[in-house]
Amino acid sequence: MKFLVLNGVNLNMTGVREKGIYGGETLEQINAELKQFCEGQGHGVDFAQTNLEGELCSFIQNARGKYDGIVLNAGAFTHYSYAIRDAIAAIDVPVVEVHMSNVHAREEFRKKSVLTEVCKGEILGFGKKSYKLALESFWL
Ligand code: DQA
């Protein structure tokens, strides 16, 4: 199988911003570990990150026919982007929503995701391990 790990707005700041919440590893370091993890299981994986909402929609649209699943941490877009929600609903590639932090234990606005209803499932609160658990959900 082949997967796309897609990160949205501000996730390029992982390892730099709010380390107590998101950890001290950079997104590049996390992605390198995920690549090893997937390849060790015999699966392929690509990575993309963007701070632009429309570009994130394009990554989702362009995943059609190329990937068996998408692991998506949309960052703050999660809480209000109907455009990303519609992009997920438009494709037949399953999307697992991911958050490193436990969004339910944080500010009120983070408790609402406009994406979950159109995703296959959601994994949150396990730090960088959330990505691994989401990937694993596709082959377990
Ligand atoms: C996040 C949670 C979001 O609320 C926040 O805006 C992020 C990261 C997470 O991984 O915990 O940027 O998606």
Side-chain angles (χ1 to χ4, degrees), residues 7-11 17-18 21-22 73-79 98-103 106-107 109-110 124-125 127 131:
N7 279 283
V9 63
N10 292 317
L11 272 307
R17 69 161 176 165
E18 300 178 276
I21 297 174
Y22 303 117
N73 185 349
F77 292 145
T78 303
H79 311 299
V98 157
H99 301 286
M100 286 189 273
S101 64
N102 177 357
V103 286
R106 301 181 63 193
E107 300 93 330
F109 75 90
R110 294 188 205 276
L124 59 92
Y131 293 100

Side-chain angles (χ1 to χ4, degrees), residues 92-126:
D92 53 8
V93 182
V95 176
V96 174
E97 179 181 343
V98 157
H99 301 286
M100 286 189 273
S101 64
N102 177 357
V103 286
H104 299 291
R106 301 181 63 193
E107 300 93 330
E108 206 54 40
F109 75 90
R110 294 188 205 276
K111 294 180 183 168
K112 171 76 186 163
S113 166
V114 300
L115 310 181
T116 314
E117 277 177 9
V118 292
C119 287
K120 190 175 177 206
E122 183 187 21
I123 293 178
L124 59 92
F126 297 99

Side-chain angles (χ1 to χ4, degrees), residues 64-76:
R64 291 163 60 231
K66 290 194 200 118
Y67 297 101
D68 299 294
I70 300 173
V71 167
L72 172 65
N73 185 349

